[in-house]
Amino acid sequence: QVQLVEFGGGLVQAGESLRLSCRASGNIFRLVAMGWYRQAPGKQRELVATITENDNTNYADSAKGRFTISRDNAKNTVYLQMNSLKPEDTAVYYCYLRRIKLLSTDDYWGQGTQVTVSS
């Protein structure tokens, strides 16, 4: 099993910044990707940003130019720097991890951390 622990959510005003962190522990084996998804009230969960073992990144259009994803391989930790926050960014943010163990691929999710942006 893999456990994901998230930090950094909170309440900010529009235009301000937040930095989310997520650290993975347990039987990770080969970590192939980590990232962040979010879910706003009444909406489906959507991708925000991911980063692979080869440092390839993928961003939602709404995040490009404002958010930056990065990772620390030694700590099995992924970060999301969120600048110029907007009220539309308000959501529960979930950490995501994909691993390969033997010949199987497994996905894991954190418990979520609330981000609220006031106008």
Side-chain angles (χ1 to χ4, degrees):
Q1 284 285 355
V2 174
Q3 296 81 43
L4 302 174
V5 181
E6 299 143 321
F7 302 93
L11 173 64
V12 298
Q13 296 185 28
E16 296 182 337
S17 299
L18 278 176
R19 185 174 185 253
L20 304 182
S21 302
C22 175
R23 184 166 187 171
S25 61
N27 195 9
I28 297 173
F29 277 76
R30 179 185 171 187
L31 196 163
V32 298
M34 293 188 73
W36 295 91
Y37 289 68
R38 68 187 181 189
Q39 187 168 21
K43 296 184 178 181
Q44 293 186 337
R45 187 175 299 185
E46 64 177 1
L47 179 146
V48 179
T50 58
I51 184 167
T52 72
E53 61 183 340
N54 299 316
D55 286 327
N56 294 319
T57 57
N58 185 35
Y59 293 92
D61 288 340
S62 61
K64 292 178 180 177
R66 299 188 299 124
F67 295 0
T68 302
I69 190 168
S70 61
R71 63 187 176 97
D72 185 332
N73 292 340
K75 298 180 179 179
N76 292 131
T77 299
V78 65
Y79 306 94
L80 184 68
Q81 179 68 43
M82 303 187 293
N83 297 328
S84 301
L85 283 163
K86 305 175 181 179
E88 307 93 270
D89 297 316
T90 296
V92 177
Y93 284 69
Y94 295 91
C95 182
Y96 162 81
L97 179 149
R98 172 167 286 183
R99 76 165 188 188
I100 294 178
K101 179 183 179 182
L102 300 177
L103 298 179
S104 65
T105 300
D106 302 302
D107 294 336
Y108 293 88
W109 297 92
Q111 79 285 352
T113 184
Q114 178 70 46
V115 172
T116 302
V117 184
S118 62
S119 60

